Amino acid sequence: MAFELPKLGYDYSALEPHIDARTMEIHHTKHHAAYTDNLNKALQGSGLEGKSIEEVLKNVSGQPAAVRNNGGGFYNHNLYWKILTPGGASKPEGELLDALNNSFDSFENFRDAFIQAAMTRFGSGWAWLILQDNKLAITSTPNQDNPLMDVAEVKGAPLLGVDVWEHAYYLKYQNRRADYLNAFWSLVNWDEVARRFKG
Ligand code: MN3
């Protein structure tokens, strides 16, 4: 079974004005599609065909760079589309909110730390909220790496992730990553983050 490019749960224009339709369309039909195709090619003859993407990532250190880069790209974008939603809530509620308050002193501190991690990731990469041994933590990764990979400096289960590659924001925001992150914050699907938190 080859990996397939997922369909989005909303239209390309649904996240306007925060993320524009053209960026969404190119991001999904070009970037994510290419990671998916190239992952399938890279896995041919690797012995990992038929494994889940999580299994592939967990064992990525023994694989060629094409598996690491495209496997990460495939997984990361699957998560990114799911944790975005038109008209996202400004904050989570219930157990997830309590856990964020406990771990970071306040939701506002969590938000600042997450945005800081995304702002300071030099070049292309991702910032993450992860669950690590039942504790919440913030980390970031270069390129298409993620915290599920055995090569990651900080490992855990991704709950929320933001793409800070320029292709995620350049058409609308040019070099203004901070403005994109502010817009991203209006679109977070906290129900999906909470679902991942509960596992
Ligand atoms: Mn991307």
Side-chain angles (χ1 to χ4, degrees), residues 27 31 35 77 80 126 144 163 165 167-168:
H27 205 171
H31 293 276
Y35 295 128
H77 291 85
Y80 182 71
W126 293 74
Q144 294 296 354
D163 187 346
W165 283 58
H167 68 226

Side-chain angles (χ1 to χ4, degrees), residues 111-134:
R111 179 192 192 279
D112 291 349
F114 183 86
I115 295 214
Q116 181 69 9
M119 282 300 296
T120 55
R121 168 47 57 189
F122 184 77
S124 298
W126 293 74
W128 306 97
L129 170 67
I130 61 171
L131 195 58
Q132 182 188 56
D133 303 326
N134 285 319

Side-chain angles (χ1 to χ4, degrees), residues 49-64:
E49 297 104 320
K51 299 277 189 212
S52 70
I53 188 61
E54 288 83 0
E55 277 293 311
V56 171
L57 298 178
K58 205 164 74 180
N59 297 295
V60 85
S61 61
Q63 295 295 319

Side-chain angles (χ1 to χ4, degrees), residues 47-143:
L48 291 173
E49 297 104 320
K51 299 277 189 212
S52 70
I53 188 61
E54 288 83 0
E55 277 293 311
V56 171
L57 298 178
K58 205 164 74 180
N59 297 295
V60 85
S61 61
Q63 295 295 319
V67 174
R68 176 173 173 172
N69 293 334
N70 295 296
F74 174 73
Y75 176 94
N76 295 348
H77 291 85
N78 284 359
L79 178 140
Y80 182 71
W81 310 130
K82 290 246 176 164
I83 58 86
L84 293 173
T85 190
S90 62
K91 53 159 68 175
E93 42 191 42
E95 284 175 46
L96 176 58
L97 180 60
D98 292 345
L100 288 166
N101 281 329
N102 287 337
S103 301
F104 301 99
D105 293 326
S106 70
F107 180 76
E108 288 65 34
N109 278 356
F110 156 67
R111 179 192 192 279
D112 291 349
F114 183 86
I115 295 214
Q116 181 69 9
M119 282 300 296
T120 55
R121 168 47 57 189
F122 184 77
S124 298
W126 293 74
W128 306 97
L129 170 67
I130 61 171
L131 195 58
Q132 182 188 56
D133 303 326
N134 285 319
K135 287 193 190 131
L136 293 171
I138 291 169
T139 184
S140 76
T141 51
N143 306 314

Side-chain angles (χ1 to χ4, degrees), residues 30-46:
K30 306 292 183 197
H31 293 276
H32 197 187
Y35 295 128
T36 307
D37 289 347
N38 290 328
L39 173 62
N40 287 325
K41 284 182 199 145
L43 286 175
Q44 282 170 19
S46 69

